[in-house]
Amino acid sequence: MSTPVRIGAFVAVLAVVFGLALGVGRAVGPWEDTEPAESAGHGHAEDEAGAADHGDEHGSGDPAGAAAAVAGLAVSADGHTLVLADPVTTPGRQQLAFTVADADGAPVTAYDEAHERDLHLIVLRRDLTGFQHVHPRLRADGTWTVPVDLTTGAWRVLADFTPTGGGPLVLGADLLVGGDYDPTPLGADARSDRVDGYEVTLDGALPVGREAPVTLTVSRDGEGVRDLQPYLGAHGHLVVLREGDLGYLHAHPVDVEDAGSGITFDTTFPSAGRYRLFLDFKHAGVVRTAVFTVSVGTEGGPDGQSHDDSGHGH
């Protein structure tokens, strides 16, 4: 664990990055005032069904297609910009507010629903901790709002949406939270996670530059959980983020009528490096998040990936 750093100095270091661009990301739709933020490693009740829109399709498996699978590395694209109301804030539970501005600077107020949602949002710290999959509400003036739980450090706000008349977009912005910052190392690779009595394991080769399936298997008390409930229109929702630039990767669930205890996603890792994966799954009316860390294209195991199943690494 590194020595705590004063956030004032941290803000100064990030000033260039924060001033030049605010980019990254990808996420999920409308919330109610009473709905809690959805955090990695914690269960939460889910009252309404929906489906995450993963936007653009993967490439075909060649390196150029793989590169196209990275989303959200810009704050502006196709005449739209993600604008945070308060890009610098304080720790604690905060009301996050933002707009999507069009080419004229006016807030967008009309969105095309994708899988029962108008906009998907993910909020996480830049050290890939504090993951929250939250459901913002759209006001008549084009402002989106949602409560989130923030600790000190640099955070990323990732929005996934389709403005009416346009194509799907993924935009991201940095959010700085003041105070003493103690970043958490990514830690060892971990292909298993335990959350609320459930054990979730990740299986599958992770090649660079071509699409391949990964399967997440949910167990409890040594037995596979075979009655997973649909969440966001599927048996699970997977977010994949690359260490360093927080590039978001599209992970498409394989649509099967009876997934049993395994949830399979088609993924493409566009480059060698380390990645953190967040799986939301629903059982007994509660959505939980399992977290994994993997290395891709490095020495170790098959397809150049090593892993350690003994712990979280997060």
Side-chain angles (χ1 to χ4, degrees):
M1 186 74 66
S2 61
T3 303
V5 184
R6 193 68 201 163
I7 194 65
F10 185 74
V11 171
V13 172
L14 284 182
V16 174
V17 175
F18 190 69
L20 292 177
L22 299 170
V24 174
R26 182 118 201 165
V28 181
W31 68 291
E32 298 299 328
D33 289 297
T34 56
E35 180 180 342
E38 302 163 20
S39 304
H42 297 280
H44 59 277
E46 179 70 12
D47 295 326
E48 53 182 322
D53 170 31
H54 295 279
D56 302 336
E57 291 301 319
H58 281 299
S60 59
D62 57 68
V70 179
L73 294 177
V75 68
S76 298
D78 294 340
H80 293 80
T81 302
L82 177 61
V83 181
L84 300 184
D86 296 301
V88 179
T89 187
T90 55
R93 191 160 179 82
Q94 303 290 352
Q95 187 80 348
L96 178 65
F98 64 94
T99 58
V100 176
D102 63 17
D104 297 322
V108 175
T109 58
Y111 294 81
D112 290 344
E113 186 178 276
H115 301 283
E116 303 179 6
R117 303 289 185 177
D118 284 347
L119 183 141
H120 308 288
L121 196 77
I122 284 175
V123 180
L124 78 161
R125 218 166 67 163
R126 270 196 166 272
D127 60 0
L128 290 172
T129 65
F131 176 88
Q132 294 167 75
H133 182 164
V134 293
H135 297 177
R137 168 184 289 170
L138 179 63
R139 297 174 181 167
D141 66 356
T143 300
W144 293 92
T145 60
V146 64
V148 293
D149 295 308
L150 301 171
T151 55
T152 58
W155 288 72
R156 204 62 155 165
V157 178
L158 317 174
D160 174 6
F161 60 93
T162 301
T164 298
L169 289 172
V170 180
L171 301 178
D174 281 338
L175 173 65
L176 300 181
V177 182
D180 290 332
Y181 178 42
D182 192 9
T184 302
L186 197 60
D189 282 12
R191 281 189 170 223
S192 67
D193 193 13
R194 292 176 178 85
V195 52
D196 294 345
Y198 295 83
E199 181 171 354
V200 188
T201 58
L202 182 153
D203 295 298
L206 308 177
V208 175
R210 62 181 175 85
E211 188 175 83
V214 295
T215 299
L216 291 303
T217 302
V218 182
S219 302
R220 192 176 190 183
D221 299 327
E223 298 290 335
V225 176
R226 302 193 60 82
D227 57 346
L228 292 172
Q229 297 166 289
Y231 176 58
L232 301 174
H235 284 90
H237 179 259
L238 186 66
V239 171
V240 183
L241 293 160
R242 182 169 58 188
E243 182 187 29
D245 61 4
L246 301 194
Y248 176 89
L249 309 185
H250 300 270
H252 298 272
V254 176
D255 189 13
V256 293
E257 188 171 329
D258 180 14
S261 58
I263 313 164
T264 299
F265 296 84
D266 288 329
T267 60
T268 302
F269 293 89
S271 65
R274 305 196 71 206
Y275 296 80
R276 182 152 282 173
L277 294 76
F278 301 88
L279 172 71
D280 290 333
F281 66 96
K282 184 177 180 181
H283 186 247
V286 177
V287 177
R288 297 171 174 85
T289 304
V291 185
F292 312 90
T293 303
V294 300
S295 297
V296 176
T298 59
E299 294 183 2
D303 293 298
Q305 116 239 344
S306 61
H307 60 85
D308 174 7
D309 293 335
S310 61
H312 291 280
H314 69 275

